[in-house]
Amino acid sequence: MKISATNLESDVSTIHEIMLQSFSEYQYDETPSSALKETVNTIKNAFNKGECALVAYQDNKAIGMLRFQTEATHLYFYRLSVIPMYQRQGIAKSLLKYLEDYCKQQHISEIRCKVRANVTKNIKLYKQNGYHIYNQEQIYSDTSHPLTIISMFKQLI
């Protein structure tokens, strides 16, 4: 497997497609993931504002990705996505490890993310990789159902 960092407009369609495939399992939730509403243009706009992505390839096929932004005191990642047929093969862990190495090279000492409280497999994944919960909040999206969001971090240095 190969992982590379990108913020190229030419990679946006690939990133978008991986994300849609990965997040499709949440389309029938009471509050579907906002990832399903994103478009190629919203990702292009995010790239234009400094967002980057990691893309994982196997046999020259893009199979996973995560998007991130560097903040003043930390790196924040989101939309960790692996195409369903490649899930549970260590792709997400490899992306997280690559992100840690990237942070160390950039002298970034902390990584943060947010995850839905009801997606326990993701919370478990992050905990197994050294992340800790530091906040929990309820938000209301465009539905009347509250959504509990867990904020997590990993200290690198």
Side-chain angles (χ1 to χ4, degrees):
M1 179 177 40
K2 176 185 154 202
I3 297 176
S4 61
T6 184
N7 64 353
L8 300 176
E9 207 171 287
S10 59
D11 292 325
V12 169
S13 293
T14 298
I15 290 164
H16 182 251
E17 182 57 35
I18 294 168
M19 184 182 67
L20 290 182
Q21 287 184 49
S22 178
F23 279 80
S24 66
E25 69 180 283
Y26 307 115
Q27 66 186 328
Y28 300 113
D29 284 3
E30 278 185 342
T31 307
S33 174
S34 59
L36 297 169
K37 295 179 183 177
E38 285 201 70
T39 66
V40 168
N41 283 334
T42 60
I43 298 170
K44 278 182 191 177
N45 290 340
F47 273 23
N48 289 335
K49 294 177 183 172
E51 179 180 292
C52 295
L54 298 180
V55 181
Y57 297 89
Q58 187 170 318
D59 299 324
N60 293 319
K61 178 183 178 176
I63 58 170
M65 71 88 194
L66 67 75
R67 294 163 53 195
F68 66 92
Q69 290 255 349
T70 303
E71 306 289 337
T73 60
H74 61 277
L75 181 140
Y76 176 71
F77 79 87
Y78 37 92
R79 306 291 198 227
L80 176 57
S81 306
V82 177
I83 292 174
M85 71 180 286
Y86 293 96
Q87 291 177 3
R88 305 203 190 309
Q89 296 179 27
I91 312 300
K93 287 179 186 177
S94 294
L95 284 162
L96 291 172
K97 175 67 174 114
Y98 191 99
L99 188 64
E100 284 181 35
D101 293 342
Y102 173 88
C103 285
K104 289 174 184 174
Q105 290 171 0
Q106 302 298 316
H107 306 287
I108 298 168
S109 61
E110 186 177 301
I111 301 175
R112 295 182 187 178
C113 66
K114 293 185 179 187
V115 62
R116 290 173 177 230
N118 66 328
V119 186
T120 56
K121 67 179 182 176
N122 289 357
I123 295 169
K124 183 179 176 182
L125 168 71
Y126 299 143
K127 282 184 172 181
Q128 288 174 340
N129 284 277
Y131 288 77
H132 304 279
I133 295 172
Y134 71 90
N135 192 28
Q136 181 172 319
E137 63 185 321
Q138 292 227 314
I139 62 168
Y140 294 85
S141 63
D142 48 354
T143 68
S144 60
H145 301 288
L147 188 60
T148 303
I149 302 294
I150 304 289
S151 297
M152 302 183 79
F153 79 99
K154 181 171 185 175
Q155 198 69 40
L156 300 175
I157 300 172

